[in-house]
Amino acid sequence: MKNVPTPEIWFITGSQHLYGEAALKQVAANSSKIVEALNASGRLPLKLVFKPVLTRPEEIRALCLEANGAANCAGLAIWCHTFSPSKMWINGLIQLRKPVLHFATQYNRDLPWSEIDMDFMNLNQAAHGDREHGFIHTRLRLPRKVVVGHWSDEAVQDRVAAWMRVTRAWSDWQGGKIVRFGDNMRYVAVTEGDKVAAEAKFGFSVNTHGVGDLVAALGEVRDAEVTALCSEYEELYHVAPVLCKGGDRHDVLRYNARQELGLRAFLEAGNFIGFSDTFEDLHGLTQLPGLAVQRLMADGYGFAGEGDWKTAAIVRAMKVMSADLPGGTSFMEDYTYELNPAGQLVLGSHMLEVCPSIAAGKPAIEVHPLGIGGKDDPARFVFDAHPGAAINVAMMDLGNRFRLLVNEVDVIAPSQPLPKLPVARAVWKCRPDLKTAVAAWIYAGGTHHTGFSYAVTTEYIEDLAEIAGVEVAVIDAETRLREFKQQLRNDEIYYHLAPGLGRL
Ligand code: MN
């Protein structure tokens, strides 16, 4: 994947001067050792940076302001080795604009039962230091992720690692640019939304270019580059003979290569992190970009079709979250059902634009008619998504707020070949079952477009929602429809009142 930011996380330790200088030196030494060990663990995707122990309100405020201005700081992991009276933190925390992980850990794992004395108790009192610290976040209505357990515990490290990946995506969204070629598909409701509210809430901006700007970029591409990229396709994929050099329709492959090179140049020149297009606005293009979009998604760009900038942003965030993980992430669309009581399934796909990072094997490149749009036949990857647990994630604008929606699914291999469906395809079972999951999705107003990933889990989307301060509704193995509907009603009230609850 290209264009993945590598920010750092600051490791912050709270204490106070009550215990004397020797104790503070020990606190600093212990914290520093924890940071070294965590960085050496190989389980954390971002570097932890040790910061001096904080003991005074002025220091805390200064550090929070410094973090706000540090472009490379994606978040703060905070713990209290000793007690750190939290009124000292108010002025800093209310200024802080970076994600927070409250790491409720302890330097020692085991209690030294036969030797423990009050000096040990005073030095290692995170058990109540972290409760005092938690209170002030709760009192100020501040978002954070709380992770509890010893820092050497791999399960604990994995919770921290997940949050780090989410901060990487959050940091990428801040100031991130998404370009739309053309507007939303005509009359479609769910792909609409308030781009001003989205930028204020999530940090990314969405702006439109006429497709003519893209056509001009295609015109700048040199024939030699097109030839070289076509050779690359033939090396990397199973390219249909008719599309290969010397084949009757090699011109189609060349045009797709030109689209990829032109799009890539446009995205790089504008420093964009994601994009969208629409088959209803292709003036000057002979076909909808298919293969080009699929290759760019595989390189990490966010994408969604039909002007769906919200899903493009979600796909980009999920790409950045999972950049160091196996499994694959793509734009996806629930297309059609298998409603046989013996095994109810969803067949997901899109006309052209599913990312080959989720492919079960080496993808084929084929050319076929599109069926809508009235343009030339586009080339596209054809493959099946590999089996495994995955999630679908949607983002909707409900008028007064954004809602994130997750459904946990299990991808299976298609039971039969699909010879007349030459697109990228994914077949999955919904958790808890198709009827419950689809009803819950429909009650939640979930879009037909999603970000789909084997690597990103529900935990990541919950962390993202916490950082952004938006609603997240989860459909998983435990979902019961009656409770889910009630949760949506409760959220309707909570998110209506929540803006007034800040900093009471
Ligand atoms: Mn679509």
Side-chain angles (χ1 to χ4, degrees):
M1 244 184 76
K2 297 176 178 173
N3 305 322
V4 180
T6 53
E8 60 193 28
I9 300 295
W10 291 4
F11 192 87
I12 311 297
T13 312
S15 190
Q16 61 176 333
H17 282 273
L18 189 65
Y19 316 105
E21 287 309 305
L24 284 178
K25 274 189 187 159
Q26 192 62 48
V27 165
N30 291 350
S31 275
S32 181
K33 276 186 208 160
I34 292 175
V35 169
E36 275 174 39
L38 287 172
N39 281 332
S41 72
R43 299 184 82 82
L44 301 188
L46 302 184
K47 188 183 171 200
L48 275 175
V49 177
F50 173 76
K51 291 286 172 183
V53 177
L54 299 177
T55 56
R56 294 188 176 90
E58 299 78 11
E59 294 167 3
I60 293 165
R61 186 167 188 274
L63 182 121
C64 290
L65 294 176
E66 185 189 347
N68 287 347
N72 207 35
C73 170
L76 273 54
I78 308 177
W79 79 300
C80 294
H81 191 310
T82 62
F83 204 74
S84 181
S86 279
K87 282 167 73 177
M88 296 197 306
W89 290 75
I90 294 171
N91 244 286
L93 291 178
I94 61 173
Q95 304 283 340
L96 185 64
R97 301 281 298 160
K98 294 288 169 97
V100 168
L101 178 127
H102 184 168
F103 193 21
T105 190
Q106 183 170 276
Y107 181 65
N108 56 300
R109 191 191 69 178
D110 303 332
L111 273 180
W113 295 99
S114 63
E115 293 175 12
I116 191 165
D117 56 15
M118 277 315 293
D119 284 347
F120 183 95
M121 297 275 276
N122 283 329
L123 186 63
N124 299 285
Q125 55 176 297
H128 68 285
D130 276 325
R131 289 171 199 233
E132 165 73 0
H133 196 70
F135 169 75
I136 205 63
H137 284 264
T138 297
R139 174 66 179 81
L140 298 172
R141 274 72 176 176
L142 295 173
R144 78 283 199 194
K145 180 177 192 176
V146 179
V147 175
V148 180
H150 196 252
W151 48 270
S152 66
D153 179 344
E154 290 187 350
V156 168
Q157 294 172 354
D158 288 349
R159 302 284 73 70
V160 176
W163 174 81
M164 282 184 164
R165 294 189 182 99
V166 176
T167 69
R168 180 166 63 194
W170 181 255
S171 153
D172 177 68
W173 265 4
Q174 305 315 300
K177 293 161 62 182
I178 291 173
V179 58
R180 301 190 311 158
F181 298 106
D183 204 333
N184 290 36
M185 182 177 167
R186 287 189 279 276
Y187 299 109
V188 176
V190 78
T191 53
E192 292 285 356
D194 183 339
K195 297 191 283 293
V196 174
E199 185 167 351
K201 200 69 172 165
F202 301 115
F204 61 77
S205 66
V206 181
N207 287 289
T208 301
H209 274 260
V211 73
D213 292 350
L214 178 58
V215 171
L218 263 58
E220 298 292 312
V221 176
R222 290 181 291 119
D223 285 343
E225 295 174 274
V226 171
T227 302
L229 186 55
C230 286
S231 301
E232 191 180 324
Y233 292 160
E234 291 191 35
E235 278 169 31
L236 292 175
Y237 312 110
H238 296 299
V239 181
V242 72
L243 291 171
C244 290
K245 191 170 182 182
D248 285 350
R249 306 200 67 184
H250 184 59
D251 60 320
V252 174
L253 192 70
R254 288 189 67 83
Y255 188 70
N256 277 269
R258 179 172 292 279
Q259 283 185 324
E260 177 182 334
L261 291 160
L263 255 170
R264 190 181 293 280
F266 189 97
L267 295 172
E268 286 176 358
N271 200 25
F272 293 106
I273 60 171
F275 65 106
S276 180
D277 60 16
T278 169
F279 66 92
E280 289 175 335
D281 187 358
L282 295 175
H283 302 287
L285 295 178
T286 66
Q287 57 193 221
L288 183 66
L291 183 59
V293 166
Q294 294 175 299
R295 291 254 309 166
L296 287 160
M297 243 192 294
D299 281 340
Y301 285 103
F303 173 82
E306 292 108 37
D308 185 355
W309 52 272
K310 295 195 301 298
T311 305
I314 277 289
V315 170
R316 169 62 182 180
M318 293 169 78
K319 288 273 184 191
V320 174
M321 287 177 195
S322 60
D324 61 312
L325 297 173
T329 295
S330 179
F331 169 51
M332 187 55 72
E333 181 168 291
D334 302 76
Y335 236 103
T336 193
Y337 301 130
E338 163 79 24
L339 291 179
N340 185 330
Q344 304 204 329
L345 304 167
V346 177
L347 171 56
S349 186
H350 206 258
M351 292 184 295
L352 300 172
E353 311 98 334
V354 175
C355 178
S357 68
I358 66 169
K362 187 194 272 197
I365 298 179
E366 300 179 13
V367 56
H368 301 278
L370 189 55
I372 59 174
K375 290 280 184 175
D376 290 355
D377 301 344
R380 81 288 298 271
F381 283 124
V382 178
F383 59 83
D384 289 308
H386 64 82
I391 59 171
N392 274 307
V393 182
M395 182 199 284
M396 292 76 67
D397 183 341
L398 297 182
N400 64 341
R401 70 186 190 278
F402 293 94
R403 169 180 284 161
L404 292 170
L405 179 62
V406 181
N407 185 202
E408 298 182 357
V409 303
D410 295 287
V411 180
I412 61 168
S415 59
Q416 298 178 49
L418 299 152
K420 296 191 173 174
L421 190 67
V423 293
R425 309 153 301 215
V427 178
W428 64 79
K429 293 180 189 170
C430 298
R431 296 182 198 172
D433 59 79
L434 184 137
K435 288 176 181 170
T436 305
V438 174
W441 191 273
I442 289 172
Y443 278 122
T447 174
H448 51 283
H449 285 166
T450 58
F452 170 90
S453 179
Y454 296 92
V456 175
T457 64
T458 299
E459 177 183 15
Y460 290 73
I461 307 305
E462 290 176 318
D463 287 358
L464 179 69
E466 177 78 14
I467 292 170
V470 300
E471 178 188 5
V472 59
V474 176
I475 305 164
D476 63 11
E478 307 299 317
T479 294
R480 289 156 53 103
L481 198 53
R482 187 177 297 131
E483 290 164 7
F484 185 83
K485 286 172 70 178
Q486 188 56 44
Q487 185 63 48
L488 296 182
R489 292 187 197 105
N490 296 349
D491 284 357
E492 198 74 76
I493 300 302
Y494 171 76
Y495 286 95
H496 185 66
L497 298 176
L501 291 174
R503 297 181 198 173
L504 287 176

